[in-house]
Amino acid sequence: MASPIVPVLLAGGTGTRLWPVSRDALPKQFLPLMGKHSTYQETLLRVRGPEFGTPIVVTGPDFHFFARRQAEELGIDVTVVIEPMRRDSGAAIAAGAAITLKRDPQAVVLALAADHIVLDPEEFRKTCVAGRAAADLGRIVTFGIKPTEPKTSFGYILPGKAIDGTETAEVERFVEKPDLATAARYVQDGYLWNSGNFLFRADVLLGELQRLEPDMASAVEESVARSNTDLGFVRLDAEAFARSPQKSIDYAVMERTDRTAVVTGRFRWSDIGSWDALFDIAPTDSNGNVLQGPVTLMDAKNCVVHSENRLTTLIGVEDLVVVSVADATLVVPRARSQEVKDLVAKLKADKRPEAIVHRRVHRPWGYYESIDMGERFQVKRIVVLPGGMLSLQRHRHRSEHWIVVRGTAEVTIEKDIKPVHENESIYVPLGAIHRLANKGKIPLELIEVQTGSYLGEDDIERLEDVYSRV
Amino acid sequence: MASPIVPVLLAGGTGTRLWPVSRDALPKQFLPLMGKHSTYQETLLRVRGPEFGTPIVVTGPDFHFFARRQAEELGIDVTVVIEPMRRDSGAAIAAGAAITLKRDPQAVVLALAADHIVLDPEEFRKTCVAGRAAADLGRIVTFGIKPTEPKTSFGYILPGKAIDGTETAEVERFVEKPDLATAARYVQDGYLWNSGNFLFRADVLLGELQRLEPDMASAVEESVARSNTDLGFVRLDAEAFARSPQKSIDYAVMERTDRTAVVTGRFRWSDIGSWDALFDIAPTDSNGNVLQGPVTLMDAKNCVVHSENRLTTLIGVEDLVVVSVADATLVVPRARSQEVKDLVAKLKADKRPEAIVHRRVHRPWGYYESIDMGERFQVKRIVVLPGGMLSLQRHRHRSEHWIVVRGTAEVTIEKDIKPVHENESIYVPLGAIHRLANKGKIPLELIEVQTGSYLGEDDIERLEDVYSRV
């Protein structure tokens, strides 16, 4: 039996086209856009099974703890690789391939985006198996999706003649995003959507890369050779990786190699490139609305409403996207939802924090969320995951009251270490060296009331940190 | 010199047409819709001056503390009259007139809505003075507003011939809300908007009421005769008041008496009967948008955006109303903003609490706001005004941690009474009899963390209360 396919998940994107839900600080692959799992988690679940080996996740230095935690939540073991900076999909896929190759010279890699949605995972797995024979023969197999309508937001692939002994075909043409008339013609002529997922032998891809993009190949291979393992993460060497040209795998390899092949996927798929794209895959109500969260509608049609926590109400509107989250609301016509990225650019220029960070801020040990703020106080909800530990720290301008509302805290204040149980509180005086940890089996939740004349996040002196943040 | 005009403010309305800002629990007259004062406060400020006496405020049993507090904030002394139940403007105006008459048999009353906006208060006062002579002569003077456009949302008045020795005219016709073509003709023909404000001698109005609506007159006069004063409020007798027919002053008197007169007001005025009506009086940006709060727009025209706390963003929309508050968001085309009341009816039928109560809940002693909630805990921000005192109480299912973040609390727990200062905390064990008071000169703010298996507002046993709520 062939060795398992090694999934390489590209989870380093910082998409803002689904703002205000997706932001640079926590982009859409890590968020639950439909159902309870994030698209990254759904991707992991899609490649679980005897056909697949341990996934490699390539992500950025802000997301590696998150990537591991979300895999752990599913009980899935992953290798998390940290890209020191973004060098587009070419370098990320090459890094995943090079790491795989060190482990198994014959390894077949499935490179796939962590922020796509596939509605038929079984069909997806069949497509992987169908493409495998061509990959074993040295082809770089791209996944073409059978179109359901003439989309203008995707690139297209024209399949050519079948490749003997495989269920794949030659690639006759790759084409860029077409206009609507062209897209309609493509669909009629048997073109497929280009999904940006690939199956290949690691040695083949790296060989083609050495031939076509030698600078990228050498930069990535060196960054892997000189990588180090830190808290279980594979950290690519920054100096070497930085030298890689910034190119997508399409430009670097696919459009220039003669080793391509295409396998046809017959699963429902979306890259969720905008709020409007939810219509491709999400269920609708009887008036064609895609709804999530508490929503009340009167005579609304073909709208997307995404409502977190609070109630969202619409009267008499059509083809509108309304997104409401803790700190921001967005209203945009469906047809203009591609312009959300321009709005985010404007918000960044205006230095609005909502452009980048969420109200809930994730940390290696859990998360916190500011729930109220006054002139000289701030209230936070803090959740520390089992085994999590904040840095040993002190503040110059604030004291803190902690009230445990779930679980048990282990609190260090100066030389004292003591447990604080549910419904107990403790006071951290201004200037005191302190630390908060959860040694228990369930998440620790506490309410922190800060008082002082300055309450910024930068009033923190870290004296010791298990996550290497000192 | 004539005795001052006694303003009678009708502040008992429970309008929901400006939901989610205005709700039954705290309707629009008590909310700042433009600027920092509520429309009720703006109304009080409009009738301050040598021409006016101490205002009488007629309001409901849920709003009397609020009406007094908002007057106190302005340093304005008022008599607050509590209607035990709503009996429309006829009974409310009659009650105000009857109370005024007891104090001064010659008194002239100005009956006015507490939820209208007037942009030229000086012009408003001039109109009152202009109408006074006719009122002294025994006329019931209605305020007609010079129209600026053919509105279909107002009733109209056709002035007749001038009344000798006054600046008023006979009323030729009262007409109901017209269609647009009729409204345009009215404007051309010199009709005025019917603003629903009236100036009259108290004895004249009550005399006409006795003649035209004797049941209303006797019910109201008896409820005033049997009223009692409770904590400084005039509480009308419920049994008597309940017997009053429920009729507006227009139906009860104005459309049937021969004593009407009309004075022309040349001030900018709105009854803010819907979100769309803000365009009548609020300033707009260069694209015709009426904006309040943090808002970022891209290519939006002629929209109303009211954004509390969080950021609201719009791309490429026109003629849309977007309102975002702590617990709810509303999106409705301007032209359909009259339908908000239907939406509120639907939300009430669905038993959504957002239909009726706000996130911030006002009490005689101040207010509280739930800022976070979990499975077994709730966090509230509590503000106690100087002199305020909560009831002596206990809970069966929760304990409470209080952290003072501003001011000083006087805390009673069982037999102990002690001060808790800023940046100090105190614990109220489950079942303990306790009380919170502010004996200081500045508002007391504290964060309350409740823990327990049941956290409903009804888990409260009140043992003693300075506001007669036991």
Side-chain angles (χ1 to χ4, degrees):
Chain A
M1 185 186 149
S3 59
I5 295 167
V6 178
V8 170
L9 276 70
L10 306 181
T14 55
T16 54
R17 290 181 299 173
L18 294 192
W19 186 90
V21 170
S22 174
R23 304 184 189 183
D24 286 355
L26 191 64
K28 77 176 202 276
Q29 60 268 30
F30 296 118
L31 298 165
L33 294 176
M34 285 174 59
K36 67 186 170 119
H37 292 129
S38 70
T39 50
Y40 163 69
Q41 288 178 312
E42 291 288 352
T43 308
L44 285 174
L45 291 170
R46 201 149 65 233
V47 294
R48 185 157 69 170
E51 310 90 334
F52 300 101
T54 301
I56 291 174
V57 177
V58 184
T59 193
D62 292 326
F63 311 133
H64 54 298
F65 282 103
F66 218 81
R68 183 156 70 189
R69 187 191 311 157
Q70 288 204 341
E72 281 170 359
E73 281 174 21
L74 303 174
I76 293 177
D77 189 34
V78 295
T79 300
V80 176
V81 178
I82 306 174
E83 295 178 295
M85 67 285 295
R86 300 202 64 198
R87 283 294 178 265
D88 216 326
S89 62
I93 289 175
I99 291 167
T100 310
L101 192 65
K102 285 207 294 187
R103 296 174 181 179
D104 173 8
Q106 296 299 314
V108 170
V109 166
L110 170 67
L112 73 173
D115 61 350
H116 292 181
I117 289 184
V118 166
L119 287 190
D120 319 286
E122 197 44 56
E123 197 62 36
F124 176 85
R125 281 186 287 270
K126 280 187 195 160
T127 309
C128 294
V129 172
R132 166 95 199 218
D136 283 334
L137 289 173
R139 296 286 189 149
I140 302 171
V141 183
T142 181
F143 284 52
I145 313 291
K146 185 86 183 161
T148 53
E149 54 176 319
K151 284 274 171 194
T152 58
S153 49
F154 302 142
Y156 283 71
I157 302 172
L158 179 61
K161 69 177 195 328
I163 299 173
D164 281 352
T166 77
E167 298 176 54
T168 65
E170 300 285 353
V171 172
E172 190 78 19
R173 263 183 93 192
F174 283 112
V175 288
E176 301 283 323
K177 295 174 186 177
D179 60 28
L180 190 63
T182 311
R185 187 159 50 75
Y186 285 167
V187 172
Q188 207 166 351
D189 293 352
Y191 282 67
L192 304 171
W193 290 337
N194 186 353
S195 75
N197 297 316
F198 306 99
L199 194 66
F200 50 78
R201 255 175 33 214
D203 64 332
V204 170
L205 183 96
L206 292 171
E208 287 299 277
L209 199 68
Q210 275 151 8
R211 188 168 68 82
L212 299 165
E213 285 286 343
D215 290 350
M216 183 182 285
S218 69
V220 169
E221 282 171 17
E222 194 179 332
S223 78
V224 170
R226 288 163 54 188
S227 66
N228 63 70
T229 301
D230 173 18
L231 300 168
F233 299 103
V234 177
R235 196 178 284 274
L236 298 175
D237 181 74
E239 201 202 327
F241 198 73
R243 288 201 302 269
S244 170
Q246 194 152 359
K247 283 190 182 171
S248 74
I249 195 73
D250 302 84
Y251 288 112
V253 177
M254 296 308 289
E255 297 180 4
R256 297 152 74 191
T257 179
D258 53 7
R259 287 174 167 262
T260 55
V262 56
V263 63
T264 302
R266 288 162 203 282
F267 43 84
R268 284 177 68 197
W269 163 88
S270 175
D271 67 351
I272 342 175
S274 69
W275 283 109
D276 189 44
L278 280 180
F279 283 96
D280 301 340
I281 35 117
T284 57
D285 75 1
S286 59
N287 291 311
N289 300 294
V290 173
L291 306 176
Q292 185 148 27
V295 174
T296 296
L297 303 180
M298 271 179 52
D299 192 22
K301 292 194 194 77
N302 304 324
C303 292
V304 175
V305 188
H306 177 102
S307 181
E308 295 183 7
N309 312 92
R310 82 184 55 80
L311 175 67
T312 300
T313 62
L314 273 57
I315 301 175
V317 286
E318 286 185 37
D319 296 309
L320 203 63
V321 174
V322 178
V323 183
S324 166
V325 302
D327 59 350
T329 300
L330 166 72
V331 180
V332 58
R334 279 181 58 180
R336 299 184 67 170
S337 63
Q338 296 286 348
E339 294 176 43
V340 170
K341 63 180 188 304
D342 305 321
L343 174 70
V344 175
K346 180 177 162 75
L347 295 173
K348 284 179 180 174
D350 292 348
K351 304 214 184 306
R352 297 273 340 180
E354 300 90 341
I356 295 168
V357 291
H358 292 82
R359 182 75 62 89
R360 179 173 289 186
V361 178
H362 291 272
R363 291 284 182 251
W365 45 260
Y367 66 83
Y368 69 83
E369 190 167 341
S370 180
I371 56 174
D372 198 12
M373 180 131 24
E375 210 178 318
R376 286 172 50 83
F377 73 93
Q378 181 173 205
V379 186
K380 285 182 178 176
R381 179 182 190 167
I382 297 177
V383 174
V384 185
L385 296 170
M389 183 184 267
L390 281 70
S391 58
L392 188 71
Q393 57 185 244
R394 71 177 154 210
H395 311 294
R396 296 190 180 278
H397 301 289
R398 66 179 188 250
S399 32
E400 295 174 343
H401 299 256
W402 291 342
I403 301 101
V404 174
V405 294
R406 185 176 179 219
T408 297
E410 185 192 81
V411 176
T412 306
I413 296 181
E414 296 291 348
K415 303 280 172 220
D416 280 352
I417 301 182
K418 65 172 183 175
V420 181
H421 303 98
E422 185 176 313
N423 197 28
E424 292 177 354
S425 68
I426 193 163
Y427 176 62
V428 183
L430 192 154
I433 292 173
H434 60 281
R435 163 172 260 167
L436 177 63
N438 179 5
K439 299 287 171 75
K441 299 290 182 198
I442 61 167
L444 160 68
E445 288 190 64
L446 56 84
I447 303 300
E448 174 180 274
V449 180
Q450 307 176 345
T451 65
S453 50
Y454 177 76
L455 303 166
E457 287 303 320
D458 55 347
D459 176 20
I460 183 167
E461 182 186 356
R462 290 200 173 109
L463 306 161
E464 207 184 293
D465 185 62
V466 294
Y467 309 108
S468 317
R469 298 176 302 165
V470 174
Chain B
M1 186 186 148
S3 60
I5 296 168
V6 178
V8 170
L9 276 68
L10 306 181
T14 55
T16 54
R17 290 181 299 173
L18 294 191
W19 186 89
V21 169
S22 174
R23 305 184 188 182
D24 286 355
L26 191 64
K28 77 175 200 277
Q29 61 268 30
F30 296 118
L31 298 165
L33 294 175
M34 283 175 60
K36 68 186 172 120
H37 292 129
S38 70
T39 52
Y40 163 68
Q41 288 178 311
E42 291 288 352
T43 308
L44 285 175
L45 291 170
R46 201 149 66 233
V47 295
R48 186 156 69 168
E51 309 90 334
F52 301 102
T54 302
I56 291 174
V57 177
V58 185
T59 192
D62 292 326
F63 312 133
H64 55 298
F65 282 104
F66 218 80
R68 184 158 68 190
R69 189 191 309 159
Q70 288 203 343
E72 280 170 359
E73 282 174 18
L74 303 174
I76 293 178
D77 189 34
V78 295
T79 300
V80 176
V81 178
I82 306 172
E83 294 179 295
M85 66 284 297
R86 300 201 65 198
R87 282 294 178 267
D88 215 325
S89 61
I93 289 176
I99 290 167
T100 310
L101 191 64
K102 285 206 296 186
R103 298 176 179 178
D104 174 6
Q106 298 298 315
V108 170
V109 166
L110 170 66
L112 72 173
D115 61 351
H116 292 182
I117 289 185
V118 166
L119 287 190
D120 318 286
E122 196 45 55
E123 197 61 36
F124 177 84
R125 281 187 288 270
K126 280 187 196 161
T127 309
C128 294
V129 172
R132 167 95 199 218
D136 282 335
L137 289 173
R139 295 286 188 149
I140 302 172
V141 182
T142 182
F143 284 53
I145 312 291
K146 185 86 183 163
T148 52
E149 55 175 319
K151 284 274 172 194
T152 58
S153 49
F154 301 143
Y156 283 72
I157 302 172
L158 178 62
K161 68 176 194 329
I163 299 172
D164 281 352
T166 77
E167 299 175 55
T168 66
E170 300 285 351
V171 172
E172 191 79 20
R173 264 183 92 192
F174 283 112
V175 289
E176 302 283 321
K177 296 174 186 177
D179 59 29
L180 190 62
T182 312
R185 186 158 49 76
Y186 285 167
V187 172
Q188 207 165 353
D189 292 352
Y191 282 69
L192 304 171
W193 291 336
N194 186 352
S195 76
N197 297 317
F198 307 100
L199 194 67
F200 50 79
R201 255 175 32 214
D203 64 332
V204 170
L205 184 96
L206 292 171
E208 286 299 276
L209 199 69
Q210 274 151 8
R211 188 169 69 83
L212 299 165
E213 285 285 344
D215 291 351
M216 183 183 285
S218 68
V220 169
E221 282 171 16
E222 193 179 332
S223 78
V224 170
R226 288 163 54 186
S227 66
N228 63 69
T229 301
D230 173 17
L231 300 169
F233 298 103
V234 177
R235 197 179 284 273
L236 299 175
D237 181 74
E239 201 202 327
F241 197 74
R243 288 200 303 270
S244 169
Q246 194 152 0
K247 284 188 181 171
S248 73
I249 196 72
D250 302 85
Y251 288 112
V253 177
M254 296 308 289
E255 296 179 5
R256 297 153 72 191
T257 180
D258 53 6
R259 288 175 166 262
T260 54
V262 57
V263 64
T264 302
R266 288 163 203 283
F267 44 84
R268 284 178 67 197
W269 164 88
S270 174
D271 68 350
I272 342 176
S274 68
W275 283 109
D276 188 43
L278 281 180
F279 284 97
D280 300 341
I281 35 118
T284 57
D285 74 2
S286 59
N287 291 311
N289 301 292
V290 173
L291 306 177
Q292 186 148 28
V295 174
T296 297
L297 304 179
M298 272 178 54
D299 192 21
K301 291 193 195 77
N302 305 323
C303 293
V304 175
V305 188
H306 177 102
S307 181
E308 296 183 7
N309 311 94
R310 83 184 55 79
L311 176 67
T312 300
T313 61
L314 273 58
I315 301 174
V317 287
E318 284 185 38
D319 296 309
L320 203 63
V321 174
V322 178
V323 183
S324 166
V325 302
D327 59 351
T329 300
L330 166 72
V331 180
V332 58
R334 281 181 56 179
R336 298 183 68 170
S337 63
Q338 295 287 349
E339 294 176 43
V340 170
K341 63 179 188 305
D342 306 321
L343 173 71
V344 175
K346 182 177 160 75
L347 294 173
K348 284 180 180 173
D350 293 348
K351 302 213 185 310
R352 297 274 337 182
E354 299 91 341
I356 294 168
V357 291
H358 292 83
R359 181 75 62 87
R360 178 173 291 187
V361 179
H362 291 272
R363 291 285 183 251
W365 44 261
Y367 67 83
Y368 68 82
E369 189 167 343
S370 180
I371 55 175
D372 198 13
M373 180 128 30
E375 210 177 319
R376 287 172 49 85
F377 73 93
Q378 181 172 204
V379 187
K380 286 181 177 176
R381 179 182 189 166
I382 296 177
V383 174
V384 185
L385 297 170
M389 182 184 268
L390 281 70
S391 59
L392 187 72
Q393 58 185 246
R394 72 177 153 211
H395 311 294
R396 294 189 182 281
H397 301 289
R398 66 177 187 252
S399 32
E400 295 173 343
H401 298 258
W402 291 342
I403 300 99
V404 174
V405 294
R406 185 176 179 220
T408 297
E410 185 193 81
V411 177
T412 306
I413 297 181
E414 296 291 349
K415 303 280 174 221
D416 280 352
I417 301 182
K418 64 172 183 175
V420 181
H421 304 98
E422 185 176 313
N423 198 26
E424 292 177 353
S425 69
I426 193 164
Y427 177 62
V428 183
L430 193 154
I433 292 173
H434 61 281
R435 162 172 261 168
L436 177 63
N438 180 4
K439 299 287 172 76
K441 299 290 181 199
I442 61 166
L444 160 68
E445 288 190 64
L446 55 83
I447 303 301
E448 174 180 273
V449 181
Q450 307 175 345
T451 65
S453 49
Y454 178 76
L455 302 168
E457 286 303 320
D458 55 347
D459 176 19
I460 182 167
E461 183 185 355
R462 288 200 174 107
L463 306 162
E464 209 184 291
D465 184 61
V466 295
Y467 310 106
S468 317
R469 297 177 302 166
V470 174

